[in-house]
Amino acid sequence: MSYPAKASKKFDYGSLITGTLKLVLKHRFLWFFGILAGGGTSLGGWSCNYQGDFGDESFETDASFDYIEDWVDAHIKLLIALAIAAVVLSLLLWLWSIFCKGATVATVKDIIEEKPVNFRTAWSHGRQNFFRLLLFYLFLLLILLGVAFIAVALIVFLVFTAITLFSVTTIPGAAWLLIIPLIVVAFIGLMAVSILFQIIIILAMRAVVIDEKRPAAALKGAWRMMEFNFGRTLLIFLLSVALSFAGNIIIAFALIIPIIPTAIAWIAAVATGMHPALIIIASILSLLALACFTVALAAVNTYFAAYWTVTYIRLKEQELLPA
């Protein structure tokens, strides 16, 4: 069975969405790799705000800072070790995500080509594509560092120019009516460029895996593919944004539903003086909530990894079709 139907000059967005869903639901072993291979979903964070009367608490505040400073001095080696461990863990997770991307993208390609797939073949694809993708992301990192350097230099220049201008002259109120819209237009332009750059990276990564291209050739090919299918790729991206909201809802429900009985169990355990039986029940429910969240996140991320892989393959096939 093909996921989705064969390419034609008319792009079928419906089959892209539903066909990818069928693919992901049928080949659930991909979820193991897809949890770190996907994207397109994000969960909101949290913020806190504290207000109080600080008028007579300066001494207590100073004492608290002294206590924190003494504690940091006494545990500086532990803090350094934890920081190093966090960096190492982040690096390992990043390398594992590269492995998972290669495994997922190449396996989805095999599924579309109706080749036999399983966990072992996916693992093999991850190993085969690891160093190609690592080189691609390192190359991309160098580009981003160069762009960031240019952007920072430009911002510093503009800030210095503005300070100099304000110090020697007073800008009339009417001029702000022109400056503010220019700032808004510049912000919108920056957002548009970032979206286009994100699409290019998504397509280029699949060119590295599927077509075994080198980083520069993959980025160039992704740019040409997006240019040739600009309207389609933009609509596909907007659809992925809309689908990501649905994915966030799925993840939120997968987390909230088991959290309710888990919270009740922990409240009951605290109310009864941490009864061992209730602690065991609450712990089991906590693990169940974590498992539900992990499975939902894996399924959603795998969907988006497959979604863009199918997109790349179909756009590539359409370029080869006769006019």
Side-chain angles (χ1 to χ4, degrees):
M1 181 178 181
S2 181
Y3 300 95
K6 295 294 183 181
S8 63
K9 297 303 285 186
K10 182 179 179 181
F11 200 97
D12 191 346
Y13 300 97
S15 69
L16 170 64
I17 296 172
T18 58
T20 303
L21 180 61
K22 293 177 182 178
L23 184 153
V24 172
L25 292 178
K26 182 176 181 180
H27 303 88
R28 288 185 292 274
F29 69 89
L30 275 177
W31 297 8
F32 175 83
F33 303 98
I35 189 171
L36 290 179
T41 63
S42 61
L43 293 175
W46 59 275
S47 61
C48 59
N49 186 22
Y50 176 78
Q51 297 178 350
D53 183 11
F54 299 97
D56 300 324
E57 297 180 1
S58 59
F59 175 77
E60 294 181 4
T61 302
D62 293 339
S64 299
F65 279 117
D66 290 339
Y67 173 79
I68 294 173
E69 184 177 355
D70 293 339
W71 188 91
V72 171
D73 291 337
H75 300 84
I76 187 65
K77 293 182 179 179
L78 175 62
L79 293 175
I80 293 175
L82 290 175
I84 295 174
V87 171
V88 172
L89 180 60
S90 299
L91 178 61
L92 291 176
L93 285 176
W94 179 65
L95 293 175
W96 174 244
S97 71
I98 293 176
F99 183 94
C100 291
K101 284 180 172 66
T104 305
V105 171
T107 302
V108 171
K109 173 180 175 291
D110 286 348
I111 294 172
I112 293 175
E113 294 176 353
E114 300 182 354
K115 296 179 180 179
V117 294
N118 51 46
F119 186 91
R120 181 177 297 179
T121 60
W123 185 276
S124 178
H125 283 312
R127 188 177 65 253
Q128 293 170 3
N129 291 289
F130 176 77
F131 288 105
R132 278 199 296 268
L133 284 177
L134 179 60
L135 180 62
F136 169 75
Y137 283 109
L138 291 176
F139 181 78
L140 194 62
L141 179 61
L142 291 177
I143 294 177
L144 292 177
L145 288 176
V147 172
F149 177 80
I150 296 174
V152 170
L154 180 61
I155 291 173
V156 171
F157 172 77
L158 292 176
V159 170
F160 178 78
T161 303
I163 293 175
T164 304
L165 182 63
F166 291 161
S167 64
V168 299
T169 184
T170 301
I171 298 179
W176 287 106
L177 298 178
L178 178 63
I179 294 175
I180 294 177
L182 288 177
I183 295 175
V184 174
V185 170
F187 177 77
I188 295 175
L190 182 62
M191 292 296 295
V193 170
S194 65
I195 290 174
L196 296 179
F197 190 61
Q198 183 179 352
I199 295 174
I200 291 173
I201 293 175
I202 290 172
L203 297 176
M205 188 272 283
R206 281 149 180 85
V208 171
V209 175
I210 295 174
D211 299 324
E212 300 183 359
K213 291 184 177 181
R214 292 185 177 274
L219 290 170
K220 182 179 180 181
W223 167 261
R224 292 183 60 186
M225 176 177 286
M226 187 188 67
E227 184 181 21
F228 183 78
N229 302 278
F230 182 78
R232 289 172 178 169
T233 52
L234 186 59
L235 181 55
I236 290 168
F237 177 83
L238 294 176
L239 286 173
S240 72
V241 173
L243 290 170
S244 71
F245 284 104
N248 285 336
I249 293 174
I250 293 173
I251 295 174
F253 270 105
L255 184 61
I256 292 173
I257 293 176
I259 274 183
I260 295 175
T262 301
I264 294 174
W266 279 114
I267 293 173
V270 173
T272 57
M274 302 302 288
H275 191 279
L278 290 176
I279 292 177
I280 293 174
I281 294 174
S283 300
I284 293 174
L285 290 175
S286 299
L287 293 175
L288 178 62
L290 179 61
C292 291
F293 171 75
T294 303
V295 170
L297 182 64
V300 171
N301 281 357
T302 304
Y303 176 85
F304 284 102
Y307 175 90
W308 280 105
T309 303
V310 173
T311 295
Y312 176 85
I313 292 174
R314 292 190 60 188
L315 290 177
K316 181 183 173 184
E317 288 176 346
Q318 288 193 328
E319 290 181 358
L320 299 177
L321 290 176

